[in-house]
Amino acid sequence: MAIFPSREWVEAVLQAAEKSEKYKEAAKDWEGDFLSIIEGDEEFVRDLSRREVMEGFISFLDMMPSEARKKFKGTPMGDVFEKKLGVPLDTPADKFSIDEMTSMASKLSAEDIKGACTYFWSDFWHGSVRAMKPVAPGEHEDATFKLSGKYSAWKLMVSGRQDTIRLVMSNKLKLEGDMSYVMKHMKAVVALTKEVFAGVPID
Amino acid sequence: MYFEIDPKIREDKGLSLLREETHRFAEEVIRPAARKLDRMSDPEQVIAKDSPYWDVLKQMKKLGYHRIFIDPDYGGLGVNATEAHIILEELGWGSVGLTTAIGVDQIAPAVASLFAMGDVIEKIVKPWVEDTEAKYHGCWGVTEPECGSDYIMACEESFLPHVKELHPGEVRADKDGDGWVINGPKSSWISSAPTATHVGLHVTLPPHDNLANGAFCIVPLEQEGVTKGKPVDKLGLRDDPQGDITFDNVHIPDDYMLIRPPFYEFRIGQIICATSCFMGTIFTGLARAAFEEALRYSRERIQGGKPLCEHQLIKQKLYKMFEKVESSRCYTRKIMEHVWERIYIERTFDASSRHALSAQIYGKRSAFEVAYEALQIFGGYGLTKDFLIEKLFRDARAGLIEDGTTEVLGLAAAYNIIEEC
Ligand SMILES: Cc1cc2nc3c(=O)[nH]c(=O)nc-3n(C[C@H](O)[C@H](O)[C@H](O)COP(=O)(O)OP(=O)(O)OC[C@H]3O[C@@H](n4cnc5c(N)ncnc54)[C@H](O)[C@@H]3O)c2cc1C
């Protein structure tokens, strides 16, 4: 079981994509990167007050160079770190006190993290996932597609408990970009959820 | 009963039983009720509380036929494409009118079951699938007084570059607080509108500039602002009433909006793909019914000193009818399997519209051609109310217009053929 989002989850997803013949076949014509935006919500606050989730989340952010992390300064997510969890953004990852942060997180409310977003960028190209990594606000804004939504909706998608189409159609996730391209490549989108994401169980 | 050409279906005991049981229901319940309804001189009688329409609908709901197209994870019948095809051909054999009624019934809850989450599932889909008393009854509001064929064309994705040449649509939804407010008229042709409690409704969205800038929503009809016209008095399909619905500041919550932009313009055609397989299949049932009537009559009626079927001219007619029924079954079944795979199994919602539309056209056209020849074989008696064939002929004729004229469906398919083939 991996934590979403975490370094372990990213690595497992990359491996699952590499191994899945079904995904490779379904996505063989796909060209286009995605900027994914995960908005903090009640479930995120609840999950962060579990030590393993906080640890996973920090490992995810630690995949970003510390320079990039500084770009969160002044954003709602930056404020959560600096003001609510008491951790300056340039703190090296090994200096984070997971226990302390978990305990601080347990005092947060959904209101406290309103607007706080985590971003990750994935580069899907002809059946392979060339990159998947957390990014700072403003980075990869020119991605071909943007998928945004609350953390709880993202969890439903990456766990495979709900299909992407239902989440997007019911407005839980918002997809921006050339829709006619997406429609022509629905096989790739479905295979990414069914064969890749759902192949990495999350906690 | 016909000889099933596919050994996988023929040798499957479950499928044979399904066919026999559905056929029995079609023969004992649907067909007699359909004939009674068809003979009612005033369409108001068809929709009256004590009409056989309601008995059949209740029985169909008890048997779960209103759940064929509903996602099995949300209470759908859980049949595969072959089973759906077998059921629908038999029901269509009994009456395409009453089968249309159970078909349009499930369009909105089926769409909700495939795409919605939360409230709409609890409030609409769950009670709908559990209903065995016909408390809920759906219809499908696409066409409008000024947009008949135009609305059919607008549902074809390959036609999108030309959509602005069409009428921009009359039924409009505008944002109103957390929900939507709907205004405008749908055509007099909405099947089951006079009896329906809900409509799966096509609307345009601001700035209301074209039919593709639209959405599909579910609207409860028993509320203020909804007016329904009288059921239409018409030539065929008299057992399923059509009528208009007008919306005057009718409110729905946001989550009743089931398909929105940008999906509406690219994916609304998938509903037409599903309804096209449905139509092609039920009209295959009608074609078979007409063929069976003609075959039986041609064995009984003696002219020229021998049964009609022994004359070469009639033999030739019977052969051609047989060929049409069999090819219609094979084709509509194959296309049903394709559409089912893309919508219910793969969930990619990318069924080929040219194939689906052609299945509808082929099924409806075969039904009309077979019913036309069958009536001819009956001679003068074929024109009388004493024989079923005249009803089948009228129903088949109406089929060439219902759900899109065969010409316009073909035109829409042609755009797709030219773009994709
Ligand atoms: C029994 C029955 C049931 C129905 N049920 C429903 C229902 O449940 N829901 C619903 O929304 N509608 C329903 N309809 C409406 C049906 O879809 C329309 O009647 C059909 O699409 C044709 O539209 P129209 O009648 O306005 O004819 P028009 O669009 O006015 O067409 C008139 C003629 O012109 C031709 N034509 C139109 N446009 C073109 C073109 N661009 N190029 C060449 N020829 C063209 C047509 O083929 C037709 O012959 C039903 C109709 C019938 C008869």
Side-chain angles (χ1 to χ4, degrees):
Chain A
M1 289 271 187
I3 297 293
F4 170 78
S6 64
R7 177 190 288 270
E8 188 193 0
W9 179 79
V10 170
E11 285 166 359
V13 164
L14 290 172
Q15 252 183 30
E18 194 46 47
K19 273 201 218 137
S20 170
E21 290 308 319
K22 279 191 187 158
Y23 171 68
K24 282 188 192 151
E25 173 58 26
K28 66 177 191 296
D29 298 324
W30 180 277
E31 296 179 356
D33 56 341
F34 262 84
L35 176 64
S36 304
I37 304 166
I38 311 167
E39 297 157 14
D41 62 359
E42 241 176 287
E43 188 167 339
F44 187 51
V45 173
R46 245 194 340 266
D47 282 2
L48 274 187
S49 58
R50 282 168 48 209
R51 190 184 194 283
E52 62 275 23
V53 176
M54 180 63 86
E55 193 170 18
F57 185 53
I58 298 298
S59 74
F60 178 71
L61 296 180
D62 189 37
M63 293 172 77
M64 237 186 300
S66 61
E67 275 314 299
R69 254 194 281 142
K70 282 186 210 155
K71 292 190 186 157
F72 278 93
K73 206 166 185 66
T75 68
M77 185 55 98
D79 288 350
V80 170
F81 268 81
E82 298 205 311
K83 297 183 184 153
K84 308 270 164 33
L85 302 177
V87 191
L89 283 164
D90 50 3
T91 313
D94 56 353
K95 298 279 182 307
F96 282 118
S97 161
I98 305 290
D99 287 327
E100 242 171 69
M101 288 172 76
T102 310
S103 125
M104 305 271 272
S106 66
K107 294 181 194 116
L108 293 178
S109 70
E111 194 53 33
D112 290 328
I113 67 153
K114 208 171 164 195
C117 294
T118 313
Y119 307 83
F120 71 99
W121 175 75
S122 321
D123 186 11
F124 301 106
W125 190 260
H126 292 267
S128 73
V129 188
R130 295 197 299 198
M132 182 176 274
K133 58 178 189 184
V135 294
E139 289 181 348
H140 292 285
E141 274 294 332
D142 58 349
T144 320
F145 299 100
K146 246 189 225 177
L147 187 62
S148 53
K150 296 217 162 93
Y151 168 79
S152 49
W154 272 99
K155 267 181 78 181
L156 286 174
M157 186 188 88
V158 298
S159 63
R161 271 183 285 145
Q162 273 303 351
D163 59 271
T164 319
I165 297 160
R166 189 186 295 275
L167 288 160
V168 176
M169 294 283 247
S170 58
N171 256 357
K172 304 278 185 275
L173 290 176
K174 188 169 162 214
L175 180 59
E176 292 165 83
D178 178 356
M179 290 311 292
S180 69
Y181 186 85
V182 176
M183 297 299 169
K184 286 211 165 71
H185 295 83
M186 282 307 277
K187 256 183 164 171
V189 177
V190 171
L192 180 68
T193 331
K194 267 205 212 160
E195 307 299 333
V196 179
F197 286 155
V200 180
I202 61 163
D203 190 2
Chain B
M1 275 301 215
Y2 59 92
F3 173 71
E4 172 54 62
I5 197 72
D6 184 338
K8 285 201 290 298
I9 299 177
R10 189 175 63 239
E11 286 156 19
D12 185 313
K13 286 205 174 78
L15 292 179
S16 302
L17 195 65
L18 178 72
R19 178 155 72 118
E20 281 160 27
E21 288 191 345
T22 318
H23 184 76
R24 191 170 323 128
F25 179 72
E27 188 168 32
E28 293 172 5
V29 178
I30 297 189
R31 193 178 266 186
R35 289 193 83 176
K36 261 192 215 153
L37 293 164
D38 178 65
R39 283 171 187 188
M40 290 175 171
S41 55
D42 181 355
E44 292 281 358
Q45 292 168 275
V46 173
I47 67 170
K49 279 212 162 61
D50 58 351
S51 154
Y53 179 89
W54 294 109
D55 299 334
V56 175
L57 204 63
K58 278 181 202 166
Q59 292 199 52
M60 288 209 259
K61 292 217 170 200
K62 282 201 172 85
L63 290 164
Y65 297 147
H66 65 306
R67 297 188 276 122
I68 293 175
F69 288 91
I70 288 175
D71 184 341
D73 289 344
Y74 291 82
L77 197 55
V79 289
N80 60 28
T82 311
E83 291 162 334
H85 191 273
I86 289 172
I87 295 173
L88 293 172
E89 181 183 334
E90 292 309 325
L91 297 183
W93 178 93
S95 153
V96 285
L98 287 167
T99 312
T100 295
I102 204 66
V104 292
D105 178 85
Q106 51 202 299
I107 292 176
V111 170
S113 76
L114 286 165
F115 300 130
M117 288 175 69
D119 230 25
V120 76
I121 298 285
E122 295 302 317
K123 285 194 184 146
I124 304 277
V125 180
K126 272 197 180 161
W128 205 290
V129 297
E130 286 163 8
D131 178 27
T132 53
E133 292 302 316
K135 277 191 286 189
Y136 302 92
H137 187 25
C139 63
W140 184 32
V142 193
T143 56
E144 299 174 351
E146 300 299 326
C147 299
S149 302
D150 279 10
Y151 236 124
I152 308 291
M153 291 304 295
C155 292
E156 169 50 52
E157 191 187 333
S158 307
F159 184 76
L160 283 179
H162 313 277
V163 77
K164 290 209 163 111
E165 295 160 19
L166 307 176
H167 190 285
E170 293 166 90
V171 177
R172 299 164 159 217
D174 291 282
K175 203 82 189 121
D176 180 54
D178 287 343
W180 296 85
V181 60
I182 298 167
N183 281 290
K186 283 291 170 189
S187 79
S188 314
W189 293 107
I190 311 304
S191 295
S192 300
T195 43
T197 57
H198 292 72
V199 59
L201 189 71
H202 293 244
V203 295
T204 64
L205 298 180
H208 307 290
D209 54 342
N210 72 78
L211 289 173
N213 176 24
F216 176 82
C217 53
I218 183 159
V219 185
L221 295 173
E222 285 160 1
Q223 61 169 313
E224 211 176 310
V226 175
T227 28
K228 289 184 185 176
K230 283 188 174 306
V232 177
D233 197 3
K234 61 191 192 296
L235 173 89
L237 290 166
R238 293 179 64 84
D239 42 357
D240 185 31
Q242 277 79 31
D244 62 276
I245 317 174
T246 302
F247 301 89
D248 180 13
N249 284 324
V250 172
H251 291 258
I252 55 162
D254 185 61
D255 61 353
Y256 282 28
M257 208 45 107
L258 301 175
I259 307 181
R260 320 164 183 245
F263 295 96
Y264 182 83
E265 62 176 310
F266 295 115
R267 277 304 167 262
I268 200 61
Q270 293 297 302
I271 299 188
I272 310 280
C273 287
T275 60
S276 286
C277 298
F278 171 89
M279 294 294 284
T281 306
I282 70 173
F283 276 90
T284 302
L286 187 154
R288 191 179 109 221
F291 166 68
E292 288 171 5
E293 290 299 301
L295 181 61
R296 202 191 58 244
Y297 188 79
S298 72
R299 283 178 171 142
E300 290 164 2
R301 173 77 173 162
I302 313 274
Q303 284 297 290
K306 52 187 177 184
L308 287 179
C309 66
E310 287 181 19
H311 294 285
Q312 211 163 27
L313 190 70
I314 302 292
K315 277 192 176 34
Q316 178 70 0
K317 279 189 196 294
L318 289 170
Y319 163 70
K320 283 190 178 160
M321 291 156 79
F322 166 81
E323 184 193 86
K324 281 178 183 148
V325 173
E326 292 296 314
S327 54
S328 187
R329 175 177 309 119
C330 287
Y331 191 55
T332 55
R333 188 185 279 163
K334 265 280 160 265
I335 306 298
M336 176 82 90
E337 283 167 6
H338 162 71
V339 170
W340 211 268
E341 181 215 2
R342 296 305 174 94
I343 294 183
Y344 293 96
I345 300 168
E346 298 293 334
R347 306 259 168 160
T348 45
F349 303 99
D350 57 353
S352 162
S353 64
R354 59 192 177 278
H355 286 92
L357 292 168
S358 68
Q360 167 163 197
I361 298 165
Y362 196 81
K364 297 200 305 193
R365 201 175 52 213
S366 302
F368 179 70
E369 289 168 359
V370 172
Y372 179 91
E373 286 296 5
L375 195 146
Q376 197 69 4
I377 288 177
F378 272 77
Y381 295 102
L383 301 171
T384 69
K385 296 271 177 199
D386 297 341
F387 292 94
L388 176 68
I389 195 63
E390 65 85 32
K391 174 182 187 290
L392 295 176
F393 174 73
R394 284 183 289 108
D395 288 352
R397 184 62 189 87
L400 298 180
I401 298 170
E402 179 189 22
D403 212 38
T405 64
T406 40
E407 292 89 340
V408 165
L409 293 171
L411 190 61
Y415 276 88
N416 190 259
I417 291 165
I418 291 160
E419 187 175 306
E420 301 284 336
C421 289

